[in-house]
Amino acid sequence: MSTLIKLNNICKYYYQGEIVTKALDDVNIDVEKGEILIILGSSGSGKTTLLNVISGLDVPTKGQIIFDGKDITHYSDAKMTKFRKQNVGFIFQTYNLLAHLNVYENVKVGAQLGKNKKEDINYIIKMVGLEEHANKYMHQLSGGQQQRVSIARAIAKKPFVMFCDEPTGALDETTGKVVLSSLVKINKELKTTMVIITHNPGIALIGDRIIRMNSGKVVDFSKNENKMAPDEIPWG
Amino acid sequence: MWLLFLNSLKGIKKKRLQMIGLTFLILISTAVYTTMNSALDRMDSMSEQYMEEQNVEHMTILLNETNILTRENIADMFNEKLSSWKDIVLPEVVVTDEMLEKYDQDALQEMRDAIIESGVPEFMVETILKQQIGKILAGSSYLLGIVDGTYPADDLNTYIFYGCSSKAKNESTNFDPNLPYSKFCPINPGTSTSSETPGEVPGDDECADDSGTSTNASTNIAKLYENFSSMTNNNSYGVDKYEYLTPIMEELSQTYDFTYVLKANKVLTYSVDGDDQNYAASIMVYDANLPVNTPYLIEGKEPINDNEITVALPFANSNNIELNSYFEVAGKQYKVVGLAYAPDYIYPAVSFNTPLYDVKRHTVIYTNQATYNDFSGKEEKYYAAKFNNYDGSYTDETLQDLVKPVRKDSRVLYVLSTATISPRISMFTEEVKNNRVFTSYFMYVLLTIAIFIIIMVMKKRIDDERLQIGVLKSLGYNTYMIAAGYLVYPIVGSIIGGILGYGLGVVLQGPVVNLYKSFYNIPINDFFFDAKYLLLSLVIPLISLSLLSYLVALFMLRHRPLKLLREGSNLKVNFMTKIVTKLTSPLKFKSRFRLSLASRSLGKLLVITLCSFCTGLLIVLTLIGSTMMNKMIDKTFAGASYDYQVTYSSIVDPTIIDGYDENHDNEDLITTSDLTLYQIIRKNGTVEVLDKTRSVTVNGIDESLNLLKITNSDGDDISYKLFEDNNQEDVDNIVINDTIRTLLHVEIGDTLILSKRVDIDGNVQCSNDKKYLIVDINETFSGLNSYVDKGSITKYLGYSDQSYNMIYTDELKPIYDETNSNISSVFRYDDLKKNISIAIEMANYSIYIIIAFAGAMALIIISVVSNIVVDENKKHISLMKVMGYKEKEIKSVVLNIYTPFVLIAYLLSIPAMKGILRFIISLVARDLDFSVPIELSLQGALIGLIVIMAAYFIALGMSRRALNRVSLAEALKRE
């Protein structure tokens, strides 16, 4: 597999007067195309900051981000927005869907960025297992279903990479595994690279590689020798 | 982008109250816009055409008679009646050689040559010459005697004076003893004031070099002017001066290319059974062929036969007069054969006594010549003129350019032009113009308020949806695309409000037109659909609100996605809240919590405060306006317990009138004169020369008054102060009115220096100074008016103590008949009071409407804001419910947070509006010589407070429902 994203000596510091908080400290990682990369760490380890930097939502204090051979470190806001539109999808712990639109319309909100046709949207809705709920509104869906809608929305524009920040954080085991299955399915069928943040070591087992973070540093970055399907992983 | 818009559209249900408020504002603005413009279009579209077709005058012209009438004219007019001029024996003047040396030598030589040519032997030439010069000097000496008062300014001497000082035609000479004035007038051609072509009259109002030496000279000349005018109007002379003036009008019409008519009308005041107020009519002869101000027949026929009349339509409607029925005017029955308008009486103010049009009691009456002659009433004549080659509008500035040279012509005394202000015509056109401006600004004001509401609603929504917005931005939506989704509010509000507003406007324009119809005598068009207003009702709010909302949304959405996605990013505490928290730490919890909530959103706080301030300004303005009008009327009429004010055209001096036996018991005889104020000596001794002189009306009164009361602001009688000794030599006492005090910033103790100034053919003659010490202020507000001891002014002007030119009386004696040539006008104060009271009453109704409107605006805005406050604080409300607070307690800390701000804003609006009004009045009054009382009574202030607080608490009451609906589960939800 070839490298999609490369981070070189990435640092992210926060300054409060004389106090410097090193959220990321000399991080060097790469993300390969088509893989599921897990970033694992406890609260405050810097994993969310790392996700924000990789995805272009945040700007590093030092270092370099190379995306598909292009240095995107110092992109302007407008350029970065365009970059995200063309390349990146996001899923967050809270679903943040539009309350007054139904499932189909919410997915279309994402699809419009990629100028997808109606058939593509229906396919994606089917892929996340919500074809029977396409006309329902968010208040009519469970948490897991809503999260799957947000996945569909993110994937609808066919991004190269999906960034998922604790996608199962608000869900129980059963629902969470369903969501993870959707992500794995998308990765397999659409070859979309997945970068998933979690504090749950069980979830890390669905990944191809795992990055372990602690206090802003990468303490381990290795291949997952015990890769499992989502329904097999231990929860918690 | 459409989906984002759809999301917002579907979410409108949750913002019901705000959308209703917004739509309502747009509805009102477009309704008023459509109503007024449609109504004005109906009136306006006909008016120019009507005025053109009826040949409405461009100007009223009064000619400068003293400049026009030649010696021959005056001789023709008065010679028979005043032939005793021949009997006047002039004092002999013996001419010496020394006197001859001072004479004009060229003129002398001409006279010598003329004598020689007549055949006189050479040795007699000098003797004859000296005789002739002696006669001339004797004549001149007599003229000077008239001027300096040696000879009285009676009719005979007026005749002689004008015979010599009027324009002389070149061919007339002064040496033919059969011609009048020959023995009085100076011969020197260099002093002739005739001119071949009219030119500009010098406008210099500086005193002429040779003036100021004699008080009597200028005042006597003024008396002569007044007497000449009276003579030319005096029926006993049988004089028709227009026979002589009309040829001049003919010349003017050729020079300035206009058509003219000599208009005559009689103003008649009469009573009607069952009505305690007098009716007034302006009576004219119906002539369908009149080239200027052609009558407009609405219905029926022309009054061809005797005792047939037409009346105006509103008058007929108000008095239930049908065609071919009879109507009684001044005790006689007339057949109403038609309904007609006088096109130059669009606003038919028919008399001085009734300056405000009363539909029921005022009308123009057309009749035939014979019936017109039979009518009593004071007749006025003037020339009405219309330019021949002017195609522009009646109010166009370019008309001024045509009028200016006419006005400056030395043969013209006065021009009243529709281009400047001719109340009967231009009041209508001004009203139309001003109303259009008002409706546009009104629309903009309401739309500005609407923008505030949109901003508040948008901000709330953006705050609520910041996470969703953060995700959308993360996915790649840019700010412009996201902002477009929030345009749903201005778009929906504009479309619904605009269409409904237009519809309402179409419905309401009818009643508005009817109101105008009853007020203005002008035909009005039927309603016609104008797509322009439908379009503008939609387009103006749609574009203006959408554009502004979009710009604001872009600003609100400027943050980066990460900032939006961070939890609690909307919970940042602003600097104002930090300051308030510190300042309010000693207060109780409830107060601290309220103030903290209020200060959390500066935008909402600003909107509420501004709204209360502006509503307060509007309410205070209307209340002050009401107080102003009522007070002006009260003060103006407070001192007037008389029913009639009779003004004479010239001074009446009983001491020189043979057989004078008029009884004026229980009346007040006043001597009134306009003097020029040009200097002030302040209390501290500083002398101030005014950069602009002012004409002050000085009213001389007797010590004991029967009907007039002069009071100060406390209502105390102060006339006695005029007769107290001020221990200053040559300085008399004066009581000034409030206008003088305000305009010139004078006070009690200051001294005014006045003089009598008379403009004679552009040369301003000034009399000696007259000093008056201000001893008190009379609270009246019209004109620059003052009172003095009568003796002081009569002496100054050279009259006897008993002279007068104005009478206040309760009884309208026959000698006060307006048709008497000596009487200039009779003011019926009762009619004036009632006329103005009716207008005030109507104005008061409109004040209540404005106050109600201001209150409604405040209600809408405060409702919207309170609703948003409840929405924003759902979590707090829910938490408080969970903790066990009662709903009443929750309401008091969450809803009543703006009470002190609303109160303070209103209280601040009172001095603010007073200050604004004082500033505006000072600018306006400077040029118009009037002042107005700017006061707000405690009662008025309380009314305003009640209105504002009522709107506030009603709005809070409406938000209480939303507060009650907040569930306890709300507290459990994540941010």
Side-chain angles (χ1 to χ4, degrees), chain B residues 24 157 175 239 325 433 454 510 537 555 594 651 709 822:
Chain B
F24 190 63
N157 287 328
F175 287 108
V239 165
S325 65
K433 195 169 74 173
I454 291 172
S537 294
F555 176 76
R594 274 198 208 118
I651 288 285
K709 202 173 168 198
N822 204 20

Side-chain angles (χ1 to χ4, degrees), chain A residues 65-227:
Chain A
I65 309 166
I66 311 290
F67 187 97
D68 203 16
K70 290 182 204 151
D71 186 347
I72 65 165
T73 319
H74 300 293
Y75 269 14
S76 64
D77 281 349
K79 220 170 168 182
M80 192 57 88
T81 303
K82 193 176 174 186
F83 162 77
R84 288 197 301 272
K85 180 180 172 184
Q86 290 168 346
N87 299 293
V88 169
F90 285 92
I91 303 163
F92 299 96
Q93 186 174 339
T94 52
Y95 327 122
N96 301 326
L97 297 162
L98 299 177
H100 302 294
L101 299 179
N102 62 24
V103 170
Y104 180 87
E105 288 161 347
N106 264 287
V107 175
K108 195 174 174 186
V109 166
Q112 273 179 336
L113 290 169
K115 294 188 175 36
N116 286 323
K117 294 179 194 156
K118 195 175 176 182
E119 304 77 49
D120 297 329
I121 299 170
N122 286 327
Y123 175 71
I124 286 163
I125 291 173
K126 197 174 174 187
M127 200 189 286
V128 296
L130 291 174
E131 63 271 29
E132 286 169 15
H133 305 286
N135 292 322
K136 285 187 180 168
Y137 288 87
M138 301 307 107
H139 65 274
Q140 295 171 302
L141 301 177
S142 67
Q145 288 169 329
Q146 287 187 55
Q147 188 63 296
R148 281 186 277 159
V149 174
S150 76
I151 293 170
R153 177 179 63 179
I155 206 70
K157 62 174 179 171
K158 296 188 183 154
F160 289 109
V161 56
M162 284 270 287
F163 292 99
C164 313
D165 186 353
E166 301 269 15
T168 61
L171 305 171
D172 59 73
E173 180 179 339
T174 311
T175 318
K177 285 181 175 178
V178 169
V179 167
L180 290 173
S181 298
S182 299
L183 289 173
V184 169
K185 188 177 176 186
I186 288 167
N187 170 257
K188 228 181 228 171
E189 290 187 24
L190 300 180
K191 309 290 181 213
T192 309
T193 306
M194 294 278 175
V195 179
I196 301 173
I197 286 179
T198 184
H199 64 275
N200 186 341
I203 292 174
L205 296 173
I206 69 167
D208 294 308
R209 289 193 295 167
I210 302 171
I211 295 173
R212 285 190 169 77
M213 300 269 319
N214 191 14
S215 300
K217 288 183 187 292
V218 173
V219 296
D220 186 47
F221 186 13
S222 56
K223 196 172 173 186
N224 178 17
E225 301 297 345
N226 298 317
K227 187 169 176 179

Side-chain angles (χ1 to χ4, degrees), chain A residues 84 100 109 137 153 157, chain B residues 7 10 471 473-475 477:
Chain A
R84 288 197 301 272
H100 302 294
V109 166
Y137 288 87
R153 177 179 63 179
K157 62 174 179 171
Chain B
N7 181 52
K10 288 184 181 179
V471 170
K473 281 197 166 192
S474 306
L475 289 174
Y477 276 90

Side-chain angles (χ1 to χ4, degrees), chain B residues 486-505:
Chain B
Y486 292 96
L487 291 181
V488 68
Y489 302 109
I491 289 173
V492 169
S494 297
I495 291 174
I496 297 175
I499 292 175
L500 289 178
Y502 174 77
L504 187 61

Side-chain angles (χ1 to χ4, degrees), chain B residues 315-380:
Chain B
F315 181 81
N317 289 339
S318 299
N319 290 283
N320 299 315
I321 299 170
E322 288 177 6
L323 277 182
N324 299 314
S325 65
Y326 284 84
F327 186 72
E328 188 176 303
V329 178
K332 191 171 174 184
Q333 292 284 340
Y334 296 91
K335 189 178 181 188
V336 180
V337 297
L339 303 176
Y341 288 144
D344 52 330
Y345 276 72
I346 297 177
Y347 179 78
V350 297
S351 85
F352 279 118
N353 297 303
T354 50
L356 301 165
Y357 177 44
D358 181 347
V359 167
K360 186 172 161 52
R361 298 178 181 90
H362 301 161
T363 186
V364 167
I365 289 177
Y366 278 113
T367 184
N368 67 7
Q369 186 69 61
T371 312
Y372 174 84
N373 294 340
D374 280 344
F375 265 112
S376 55
K378 190 167 179 67
E379 187 177 54
E380 293 171 348

Side-chain angles (χ1 to χ4, degrees), chain B residues 281-413:
Chain B
S282 191
I283 302 155
M284 304 175 200
V285 174
Y286 193 101
D287 181 357
N289 299 316
L290 218 54
V292 182
N293 296 334
T294 318
Y296 179 78
L297 190 66
I298 306 162
E299 207 181 322
K301 62 182 185 75
E302 299 173 16
I304 302 169
N305 302 313
D306 291 352
N307 300 319
E308 285 182 348
I309 62 171
T310 67
V311 296
L313 176 62
F315 181 81
N317 289 339
S318 299
N319 290 283
N320 299 315
I321 299 170
E322 288 177 6
L323 277 182
N324 299 314
S325 65
Y326 284 84
F327 186 72
E328 188 176 303
V329 178
K332 191 171 174 184
Q333 292 284 340
Y334 296 91
K335 189 178 181 188
V336 180
V337 297
L339 303 176
Y341 288 144
D344 52 330
Y345 276 72
I346 297 177
Y347 179 78
V350 297
S351 85
F352 279 118
N353 297 303
T354 50
L356 301 165
Y357 177 44
D358 181 347
V359 167
K360 186 172 161 52
R361 298 178 181 90
H362 301 161
T363 186
V364 167
I365 289 177
Y366 278 113
T367 184
N368 67 7
Q369 186 69 61
T371 312
Y372 174 84
N373 294 340
D374 280 344
F375 265 112
S376 55
K378 190 167 179 67
E379 187 177 54
E380 293 171 348
K381 282 186 179 179
Y382 57 89
Y383 290 102
K386 186 173 189 287
F387 289 106
N388 293 328
N389 290 312
Y390 173 73
D391 291 329
S393 150
Y394 276 82
T395 50
D396 217 295
E397 291 287 316
T398 54
L399 184 57
Q400 286 253 44
D401 297 335
L402 293 176
V403 170
K404 258 187 215 152
V406 178
R407 196 173 267 134
K408 284 184 177 171
D409 195 298
S410 59
R411 294 169 288 182
V412 172
L413 181 69

Side-chain angles (χ1 to χ4, degrees), chain B residues 761-825:
Chain B
D761 285 352
N763 274 322
V764 179
Q765 307 295 320
C766 305
S767 64
N768 289 338
D769 292 343
K770 178 71 192 142
K771 290 183 187 162
Y772 281 108
L773 172 72
I774 300 173
V775 294
D776 214 321
I777 319 282
N778 170 231
E779 241 202 342
T780 56
F781 304 96
S782 64
L784 303 181
N785 221 19
S786 64
Y787 293 97
V788 299
D789 167 7
K790 191 159 150 203
S792 76
I793 188 69
T794 51
K795 185 179 170 193
Y796 175 68
L797 296 175
Y799 302 141
S800 78
D801 286 3
Q802 288 125 70
S803 301
Y804 60 89
N805 58 0
M806 195 157 74
I807 294 179
Y808 294 135
T809 180
D810 271 345
E811 188 191 339
L812 199 61
K813 299 172 185 164
I815 52 169
Y816 299 149
D817 190 333
E818 276 179 300
T819 52
N820 284 343
S821 60
N822 204 20
I823 304 274
S824 165
S825 66

